[in-house]
Amino acid sequence: MTYRNQNSVNDVGQYQMAGLPFVTASSIATGNGTVVVQFPFVTNYISIKNNTASSTLRVGFTANGVLGSNYYGITNTTPLSIDLRVRELYFRVGSGTTISFELIAGLTTINSASFPVLTSSTPANNTNFVYSYPGIG
């Protein structure tokens, strides 16, 4: 009999140990839409730094969230560091013309495809592991 360990989104140990490093940086110009960062594995923490102090960087969990009112605005160059389990993040210019930002995340070994899609509305035919969470966007 062969035993294969399958990590799941509820494996507490995955979030207790140090994460695998993931680092990226990007720039967004006003009118150029939303930047999506998709992680290969579920995160256990993220840290985001807005490098443009005079502008607001919108960070959210859905495209609708950063377009609407369900986002977190980073207005200074002090990094936002938070423990979060996510498979993707969305970024958009909130104010200003062009924003550059840096992102570092700690990754678990949980495949991001096994993590639920975050949304504020549940589709009528919910067969794709989609859960509705108020405040997501």
Side-chain angles (χ1 to χ4, degrees):
M1 183 160 131
T2 303
Y3 173 74
R4 186 166 179 229
N5 185 16
Q6 293 277 334
N7 295 323
S8 78
V9 296
N10 294 320
D11 287 342
V12 174
Q14 288 289 319
Y15 307 102
Q16 291 175 330
M17 62 184 169
L20 302 168
F22 180 97
V23 179
T24 189
S26 189
S27 292
I28 312 168
T30 300
N32 284 354
T34 302
V35 171
V36 181
V37 175
Q38 296 178 321
F39 301 104
F41 299 101
V42 176
T43 64
N44 62 6
Y45 76 85
I46 58 170
S47 183
I48 304 161
K49 182 181 178 193
N50 175 357
N51 291 325
T52 312
S54 60
S55 300
T56 301
L57 174 66
R58 291 183 178 191
V59 181
F61 307 106
T62 65
N64 286 339
V66 294
L67 285 170
S69 61
N70 293 327
Y71 63 86
Y72 185 82
I74 302 174
T75 57
N76 59 38
T77 57
T78 302
L80 166 70
S81 297
I82 189 166
D83 296 336
L84 282 178
R85 297 186 299 172
V86 295
R87 62 191 260 173
E88 59 193 7
L89 287 174
Y90 294 78
F91 299 88
R92 188 168 181 86
V93 174
S95 68
T97 55
T98 300
I99 294 180
S100 67
F101 69 91
E102 300 169 3
L103 165 69
I104 185 167
L107 303 178
T108 64
T109 57
I110 301 166
N111 189 318
S112 62
S114 66
F115 195 73
V117 174
L118 300 178
T119 181
S120 62
S121 59
T122 304
N125 183 7
N126 191 11
T127 59
N128 294 324
F129 202 42
V130 176
Y131 293 95
S132 175
Y133 299 98
I136 296 292

